[in-house]
Amino acid sequence: MKTTRSVLADQAADFPRWFQDVIAKAELADNGPVRGTMVVRPYGYGIWELLQEAMNRRIKATGAANAYFPLLIPESYLQREAEHVEGFSPELAVVTHAGGKQLEEPAVVRPTSETVIGEYMAKWVQSYRDLPLLLNQWANAVRWELRPRLFLRTTEFLWQEGHTAHASAEDARAYVTRILYDVYRAVMVDILAIPVVAGRKTRRERFAGAINTMTLEAMTGDGKALQMGTSHELGQNFARAFDIGYLSRDGQRELAWTTSWGSTTRMVGGLIMVHGDQDGLRVPPAVAPVQVVVLAVKDETVEAARRIAADLESAGLRVTVDDRTDQPFGRRAVNWELKGVPIRIELGPRDLAGDSATVVRRLRGSAKAAVGLAELTSTVAAAIEDDQANLLAEAAARQAARITTVRTVEEAVEAAAAGWASLPYDAVGEEGEDRLAEAGMTVRCLQRQDGSLPIGDNEPDLTAYVARSY
């Protein structure tokens, strides 16, 4: 049986084409009817749902509550924060006609919701007792992409966006930092098994209208960087533009300090790019819609396959039975490999006669082993737990091996052609960022030497991570 090399582009030779092939062959998504849009297929949406559930639990644990705000935003709202509208202007989709008439005021299709949420925060916040106001919404957003790519940069995407208002800069900073680590990093590491580097964006890379953007950067299989989630301190910029104020304990009128933070379906793209191999997708068990597939090889093993599946489901695993015995077994097995299902149990007449089954571990190079039926459930449950941890360790080792420490911008340009470079940011500066841009590279983030987050733009002795990116 094997291999799937004939249906996927060579990962080492053409990583972008391989990425597209995996999305198609694993039945994750398809191109939508309007350029840049995406149809997420059931298997891909199943991954997103599990991600969403994991993220939502952690967001609520920070005290935020879910709400929903309109898709259409008055154009005037965006114009009230100059830097914000300038940053998003090239990406905006604007509705000018509706109901057969020209609108009195154009409406922008939501690119992000700082403006509309700011309008309602100003209405809802009156006193220090109303703070902090912690909101989150699960929605879609539209940003008109010139070079769309499924799960990475699509004109319309799914996401969560959080927006909060606080009585002090310190409280706002503490909260967005908590979101970065306790929500985003926790999901990426513990659920997606993706190691990420946390840091502060440089001035030129920060979110439009923010005073600080914190980011989590992952390394893809071809050594590039992928921004997986961001958390922004907005200072008082939006509070000033939308008059988000409150009466303090002293009875004085004060402006609030606001934040925003978001993560998108790009996380699914990250999963593909970090864990996928030449045989297709490899899905971490924590977000696998199907953790175990039981393949009945022949008609006479179908009932036994269903009994095995029932036992595994009773142990809390997500299981499906493939009883399509009218289709070639080899083709079915390859299709499940392409989908990256962590465990495949093959049950043929000989297996059944020997009171055993063949267990294939996709995340362990499709290693096979015969396992007695009496031990099958416990063996598979242990393998699932082991595979989740192993996938993270494998990705972390690959990331560490492909980060090169250098001292100059020119050395960084050379090193980042095949991975990431790290160097003192004092050796980069804004002129160095111009040189990196010429080479198609950026400073992905800044860290203190101990790995912690810088608080200000001008801290000395910071480490810059440089890479090409998606």
Side-chain angles (χ1 to χ4, degrees), residues 27 32 89 137 139 192 237 288 296 328 339 353 358 366 400 416 427 441:
E27 299 180 338
S89 184
Q137 78 166 341
L192 288 175
N237 292 342
K339 288 179 176 290
T358 300
S366 297
M441 301 172 183

Side-chain angles (χ1 to χ4, degrees), residues 430-451:
E430 293 189 2
E431 289 185 8
E433 287 193 75
D434 290 338
R435 171 67 185 99
L436 292 171
E438 292 173 2
M441 301 172 183
T442 53
V443 174
R444 302 310 304 164
C445 64
L446 304 174
Q447 280 187 349
R448 290 172 175 162
Q449 292 187 11
D450 63 0

Side-chain angles (χ1 to χ4, degrees), residues 293-460:
V293 57
V294 185
L295 272 75
V297 177
K298 300 289 185 181
D299 287 339
E300 56 266 37
T301 63
V302 168
E303 287 306 316
R306 289 172 179 163
R307 289 195 297 272
I308 289 171
D311 289 341
L312 293 167
E313 286 176 342
S314 296
L317 298 174
R318 294 185 289 275
V319 188
T320 193
V321 176
D322 185 341
D323 57 5
R324 298 169 297 170
T325 55
D326 58 332
Q327 297 183 18
F329 171 76
R331 181 187 302 168
R332 289 190 286 150
V334 166
N335 285 339
W336 288 113
E337 288 215 334
L338 281 165
K339 288 179 176 290
V341 172
I343 302 290
R344 187 169 78 246
I345 296 175
E346 301 173 353
L347 189 65
R350 290 184 181 179
D351 296 303
L352 204 54
D355 205 29
S356 67
T358 300
V359 175
V360 186
R361 296 177 65 175
R362 175 70 179 89
L363 308 185
R364 287 285 192 171
S366 297
K368 294 188 176 186
V371 177
L373 296 183
E375 296 82 35
L376 191 58
T377 297
S378 60
T379 299
V380 169
I384 287 288
E385 184 175 342
D386 177 67
D387 284 347
Q388 179 79 24
N390 183 68
L391 208 57
L392 175 62
E394 182 184 305
R398 184 173 61 246
Q399 181 190 80
R402 298 185 72 173
I403 298 177
T404 303
T405 301
V406 299
R407 298 203 60 80
T408 69
V409 170
E410 291 306 319
E411 289 176 351
V413 168
E414 182 179 352
W420 293 7
S422 67
L423 74 162
Y425 185 61
D426 292 341
V428 181
E430 293 189 2
E431 289 185 8
E433 287 193 75
D434 290 338
R435 171 67 185 99
L436 292 171
E438 292 173 2
M441 301 172 183
T442 53
V443 174
R444 302 310 304 164
C445 64
L446 304 174
Q447 280 187 349
R448 290 172 175 162
Q449 292 187 11
D450 63 0
S452 62
L453 293 171
I455 292 178
D457 288 325
N458 300 315
E459 283 192 31

